Amino acid sequence: MKRTWELIRFIRKSRRTKKQKLYKLAFGVALDKTIAIYLSFFLVMAFFMIYDQLIQFQPLFEKMQAAAEPFMPIVILGLFIRTIILSFHSPGILFTSAEYKMTTLPYLKQHVWFHTFIEAIAKALISFLLLFFTLLILTPISTLFLIKWACIIMVAVLLLILPQWCLYQVNGKKKILISIAGLTSITVLRLLFTQFTSQWYFLVSVILILLVCNIWLWGKRLSKVDWMRVIDVNDTKVWNMFFVNRMSEMEIKPVRKPLLQQLFRSEKERKPFPYHRDKMIFRKLWRKNLMEEKQHFVQTVVTIILCLVVLSFQNDILQGLSIVLAIFAFSKMSASYFHKGLKDKLIHSLPWNMDVMKRAYLYWIYPVLTVLGIILGAVLWIHQGLQLMTLLQFIHFSVTAYILLNHQLDISIHKINHKWYTTPIGNWLIGPLSYLAIMASFVTPFASLYVVFLFIYKIFHVKRKNL
Amino acid sequence: METLKFEGVRVEIGKNTILQDIDFSLEQGNIVALIGHNGAGKSTIMKTIMGWQEKKQGNISINGINQDDSFLTYKKQIAYIPEEPFLLSELTAMQHFQLYGQSYGLSEQQLNQRVEHLTRLFEIEDKLNEYPESLSKGMRQKVQTICALLPDVALMLIDEPFMGLDVHAAADLQQLIIDKAKNGTSILLTSHQLDRVGEFADSYIMLHKGVITEKGIMKDFAELTRRSTE
């Protein structure tokens, strides 16, 4: 046991050293000494400002304290739901490839696992204590209230570590059945205790049940463990350092797919594609790519919508600017995801039929563009009323967005095909000209007749492409 | 007739030079083995031909089509078998074959005939509707190999062709490589199994620390000395 612990400590120390080096490199890219000094100064100032602000909210905190008491059982129920959700993604105990490697050396797997389990408990305890003292120092919440809540939540969280580990190892429908059974039992228990005025009967019962559950699971903790999946997820967790990823522009992703995706793959999905429908296979690949980027994608689209709505109601110039920004950001973002999707190793090794790939990609992008168009139409309608000129403006902006989106994708394709490609001046000008026309349409709506020029440009462009 | 021309290619990663002004070419239907120790630059040559590795200088062309001028047409002429299979977990084995078939413009009939023949040869005809996660590593390698064998291309790149394959599959792949070459496909491969490669390669290129140290016909190849003695 002692030797195991010593080796784990050595691994942890080496991991910390490596992480420190990586952070040092990343900070070296992001900050210099002057910025670091200014930043630390601002952080200290921000701390005092937040503290000062929080003090002013004392009456609110007191109200919250008084109102929070009945919600304790809901919080406990929330912790159960959290454990179930987490068990689909993470085993909760950081058993990585380093620990697995130890088990191939003369160390017992039980001992190594036990240390990682203790580590998980220690981490949870330290996090709680840190949170507890931060809230104690920074907020005017009473100490007694904090101690009571922290103790109950901490005990529940600690007792849920082992169930999460065991639930993570269960696959398929069995896992869903166990999750539903667990949640139903805790809800029934809560309903049984509603007749008691004190919450404590319910809370003590939950903790006792969790204790029994932990004792029962202890014997099964190392049976039927999918070690490869555990290692895969944990390695990603250990080495996925947000700041380093941002600075190095590299992202560490788990190699294996989440269990749910595999579970719900239907027989239909397994069938070969209708071969003559060449876009279908690429639609599936683009969907996969966009799903991987969905967080950033949704963030950008929401920002575009917010910008469109908020700025539109300020004045005409800002409305024009918001539409220009929206079209610019959307077309650039779409082109960037298109380019990134082609970097996948397998996709990159194939000869691309760019026309098919582009059309398959646009199959997912056009609906988003349509949503943006509807919002834009609604904003124009509310702002200017239903007039013929508003309709002309709407057509103008929609056609501009459609053409510039396609234009950006075509530039991307050219750049992939020709290393030294530079956009011809005529093609390059279409962007700034279109943006100018949008701005001008808010001075005189007749500027929206520019849409006729765009149609001619498009026809000319398609003819030249077909030559 | 030269299929692949690799002219004055230099590859640098950071401050390290990985390939130093490498020049070589491949004749149509030739099987050429890239030989060298670990870290000699064999896989970097493969990656640079595939366009995954940016080159600092030099030109690469296949049948006169330059990689930098028309990458899409250039790529239509290559098929690649990597050392480690990289399959998409979203697609089944058959869907992978369809993806390759469509990308290389095979008709449905051609694709089905070739898939039937190759899957039977590699004994994975019962795994067509399986996703990569449910296949063993050897089977994934077979799927990847079949993908690359489906199209008729001018150049085939094979990184460690026999890695992960059982004895029968390795023998079958060797025969398929020979047949491909007879049909006019040039083959560039890397392997550490020199005895096996010696049986069917026409010539070899020996690399050491990013430099070509030796070239010649395979039967004249003597031996690979230890890395530390060079």
Side-chain angles (χ1 to χ4, degrees):
Chain A
M1 267 300 232
K2 197 185 164 199
R3 280 190 324 120
T4 314
W5 180 233
E6 276 168 8
L7 189 58
I8 287 183
R9 274 179 59 197
F10 171 73
I11 292 169
R12 294 292 177 273
K13 198 182 162 195
S14 309
R15 187 180 287 167
R16 270 199 305 278
T17 315
K18 186 174 176 183
K19 282 194 168 190
Q20 275 167 7
K21 277 182 187 168
L22 288 170
Y23 275 118
K24 213 174 162 184
L25 281 170
F27 274 112
V29 175
L31 305 169
D32 58 24
K33 268 185 188 169
T34 321
I35 297 174
I37 291 166
Y38 276 113
L39 189 67
S40 44
F41 174 73
F42 278 117
L43 282 176
V44 173
M45 291 298 286
F47 174 80
F48 284 111
M49 281 161 71
I50 291 168
Y51 180 71
D52 191 46
Q53 286 290 316
L54 285 173
I55 292 294
Q56 289 174 28
F57 285 105
Q58 188 155 7
L60 187 74
F61 277 110
E62 279 167 7
K63 269 187 191 170
M64 271 169 55
Q65 269 175 241
E69 196 76 26
F71 291 103
M72 184 69 91
I74 296 173
V75 173
I76 298 292
L77 195 66
L79 287 175
F80 271 78
I81 296 171
R82 172 185 169 267
T83 305
I84 290 169
I85 294 171
L86 283 177
S87 74
F88 279 91
H89 304 282
S90 161
I93 294 172
L94 219 54
F95 194 98
T96 65
S97 52
E99 283 76 27
Y100 195 73
K101 177 82 188 161
M102 275 180 74
T103 64
T104 63
L105 299 169
Y107 297 97
L108 279 175
K109 194 178 266 175
Q110 289 94 315
H111 290 176
V112 179
W113 182 88
F114 180 71
H115 282 105
T116 52
F117 177 61
I118 295 293
E119 216 178 11
I121 291 174
K123 268 186 189 170
L125 269 173
I126 291 167
S127 310
F128 260 104
L129 286 175
L130 278 176
L131 185 70
F132 174 77
F133 283 112
T134 311
L135 291 174
L136 196 69
I137 295 164
L138 277 181
T139 64
I141 302 172
S142 81
T143 315
L144 191 69
F145 177 85
L146 271 179
I147 290 174
K148 198 167 75 181
W149 276 75
C151 283
I152 291 164
I153 295 175
M154 194 165 70
V155 171
V157 166
L158 295 182
L159 289 174
L160 281 166
I161 292 175
L162 187 60
Q164 186 184 332
W165 166 266
C166 292
L167 193 55
Y168 181 78
Q169 315 305 338
V170 184
N171 290 332
K173 284 164 191 148
K174 196 178 168 190
K175 182 173 195 153
I176 293 170
L177 284 176
I178 293 174
S179 306
I180 293 169
L183 272 180
T184 314
S185 318
I186 197 86
T187 314
V188 168
L189 194 71
R190 173 62 197 140
L191 291 173
L192 283 176
F193 280 94
T194 40
Q195 53 185 309
F196 295 99
T197 43
S198 172
Q199 314 274 2
W200 289 99
Y201 294 110
F202 169 70
L203 297 172
V204 171
S205 317
V206 169
I207 286 166
L208 280 174
I209 289 170
L210 276 177
L211 262 174
V212 173
C213 189
N214 269 266
I215 294 165
W216 180 63
L217 288 172
W218 188 254
K220 302 171 185 293
R221 67 194 188 281
L222 295 179
S223 61
K224 292 181 185 170
V225 174
D226 185 349
W227 292 106
M228 287 306 116
R229 198 155 72 95
V230 168
I231 288 163
D232 207 17
V233 168
N234 282 334
D235 277 356
T236 311
K237 203 171 177 181
V238 167
W239 295 111
N240 211 350
M241 295 178 281
F242 177 78
F243 187 66
V244 177
N245 290 353
R246 290 282 147 222
M247 289 302 110
S248 61
E249 293 180 359
M250 299 246 312
E251 205 170 342
I252 299 165
K253 288 178 179 170
V255 180
R256 283 152 195 262
K257 303 304 292 174
L259 182 75
L260 269 180
Q261 280 183 26
Q262 286 179 34
L263 183 68
F264 292 113
R265 274 170 170 173
S266 62
E267 278 304 310
K268 196 183 157 198
E269 272 189 283
R270 287 171 182 266
K271 280 186 179 163
F273 294 98
Y275 196 65
H276 58 281
R277 292 179 66 186
D278 53 0
K279 285 191 292 297
M280 270 189 81
I281 201 160
F282 290 105
R283 276 184 197 163
K284 189 168 181 178
L285 295 179
W286 281 124
R287 187 183 65 185
K288 169 219 152 205
N289 272 309
L290 290 170
M291 286 306 282
E292 278 173 8
E293 303 292 338
K294 72 176 171 200
Q295 199 185 344
H296 295 133
F297 189 85
V298 171
Q299 271 172 8
T300 316
V301 172
V302 170
T303 313
I304 290 172
I305 293 171
L306 282 176
C307 166
L308 206 57
V309 174
V310 175
L311 291 181
S312 285
F313 293 102
Q314 305 298 319
N315 58 51
D316 281 355
I317 300 293
L318 281 180
Q319 186 174 23
L321 200 66
S322 74
I323 295 166
V324 167
L325 278 175
I327 295 175
F328 177 79
F330 187 73
S331 56
K332 284 281 180 194
M333 175 193 75
S334 305
S336 140
Y337 284 126
F338 183 71
H339 193 82
K340 201 175 174 199
L342 299 175
K343 295 279 170 192
D344 181 282
K345 221 173 176 186
L346 187 131
I347 303 296
H348 192 274
S349 69
L350 292 169
W352 304 310
N353 182 340
M354 274 304 180
D355 189 43
V356 174
M357 292 204 86
K358 186 181 149 188
R359 280 189 287 139
Y361 180 68
L362 287 172
Y363 175 84
W364 298 110
I365 296 295
Y366 280 153
V368 187
L369 188 65
T370 310
V371 171
L372 287 176
I374 292 167
I375 291 166
L376 172 68
V379 166
L380 281 174
W381 182 32
I382 295 166
H383 195 247
Q384 298 173 10
L386 197 60
Q387 301 165 33
L388 193 64
M389 279 305 168
T390 313
L391 190 67
L392 179 66
Q393 265 186 322
F394 176 68
I395 294 169
H396 168 204
F397 303 153
S398 306
V399 172
T400 306
Y402 167 80
I403 286 181
L404 290 188
L405 168 66
N406 276 276
H407 186 63
Q408 281 299 333
L409 293 182
D410 288 341
I411 291 176
S412 256
I413 293 169
H414 282 304
K415 281 187 175 166
I416 291 163
N417 199 19
H418 303 281
K419 193 177 180 181
W420 318 114
Y421 177 80
T422 48
T423 316
I425 189 81
N427 284 357
W428 180 83
L429 265 176
I430 194 75
L433 265 179
S434 303
Y435 297 134
L436 267 177
I438 290 172
M439 293 303 288
S441 75
F442 283 91
V443 179
T444 164
F446 288 104
S448 283
L449 288 172
Y450 172 80
V451 72
V452 179
F453 167 76
L454 279 179
F455 276 123
I456 296 168
Y457 170 82
K458 183 69 186 168
I459 293 163
F460 176 72
H461 196 69
V462 170
K463 268 190 179 170
R464 209 174 47 175
K465 227 168 115 178
N466 292 339
L467 279 177
Chain B
M1 190 187 147
E2 281 173 345
T3 304
L4 171 74
K5 272 179 99 173
F6 204 84
E7 299 170 292
V9 174
R10 173 182 283 262
V11 172
E12 289 175 8
I13 297 176
K15 286 175 185 170
N16 299 325
T17 306
I18 310 298
L19 296 179
Q20 294 181 36
D21 308 322
I22 300 282
D23 279 289
F24 70 88
S25 60
L26 247 75
E27 292 293 320
Q28 190 183 8
N30 255 21
I31 303 175
V32 177
L34 279 174
I35 293 168
H37 299 107
N38 297 332
K42 306 183 296 293
S43 291
T44 308
I45 287 184
M46 296 287 195
K47 285 178 193 162
T48 315
I49 297 172
M50 288 302 296
W52 292 330
Q53 178 63 55
E54 193 80 9
K55 56 188 187 301
K56 187 84 178 166
Q57 65 178 51
N59 280 307
I60 305 171
S61 60
I62 301 171
N63 285 336
I65 297 156
N66 195 303
Q67 188 191 46
D68 297 337
D69 295 339
S70 185
F71 189 51
L72 299 180
T73 323
Y74 167 90
K75 276 216 306 184
K76 279 205 172 96
Q77 306 185 76
I78 319 173
Y80 176 57
I81 304 178
E83 182 180 353
E84 289 283 330
F86 46 77
L87 300 170
L88 299 169
S89 42
E90 283 71 19
L91 302 183
T92 61
M94 185 61 198
Q95 288 170 345
H96 274 93
F97 302 147
Q98 288 186 309
L99 174 67
Y100 271 71
Q102 277 179 354
S103 302
Y104 285 93
L106 296 185
S107 70
E108 191 169 6
Q109 198 191 0
Q110 271 179 321
L111 177 79
N112 289 339
Q113 277 172 358
R114 290 179 192 189
V115 166
E116 200 188 329
H117 168 65
L118 290 168
T119 50
R120 201 180 304 139
L121 192 69
F122 285 105
E123 297 173 316
I124 57 161
E125 67 268 46
D126 55 335
K127 303 287 177 191
L128 286 177
N129 292 333
E130 296 290 336
Y131 285 101
E133 297 90 40
S134 52
L135 299 174
S136 69
K137 195 192 167 195
M139 281 183 187
R140 288 203 295 271
Q141 186 65 33
K142 285 178 180 177
V143 172
Q144 183 83 69
T145 305
I146 293 173
C147 283
L149 289 168
L150 286 171
D152 297 314
V153 286
L155 175 68
M156 194 158 194
L157 304 173
I158 315 177
D159 213 349
E160 292 291 346
F162 310 113
M163 189 77 92
L165 296 181
D166 55 54
V167 187
H168 302 295
D172 290 334
L173 177 61
Q174 183 174 328
Q175 191 51 49
L176 284 167
I177 293 172
I178 295 167
D179 293 344
K180 280 263 174 196
K182 276 183 186 160
N183 289 330
T185 300
S186 305
I187 316 274
L188 182 65
L189 57 90
T190 71
S191 181
H192 288 112
Q193 297 181 31
L194 298 179
D195 290 343
R196 175 147 227 159
V197 169
E199 290 172 16
F200 65 97
D202 299 309
S203 50
Y204 72 95
I205 296 169
M206 198 191 303
L207 286 161
H208 183 66
K209 292 181 180 172
V211 180
I212 294 178
T213 51
E214 227 179 283
K215 274 186 204 174
I217 52 171
M218 199 69 216
K219 63 178 179 185
D220 293 342
F221 175 71
E223 62 167 355
L224 188 65
T225 51
R226 289 187 72 87
R227 190 169 185 255
S228 53
T229 57
E230 294 195 19

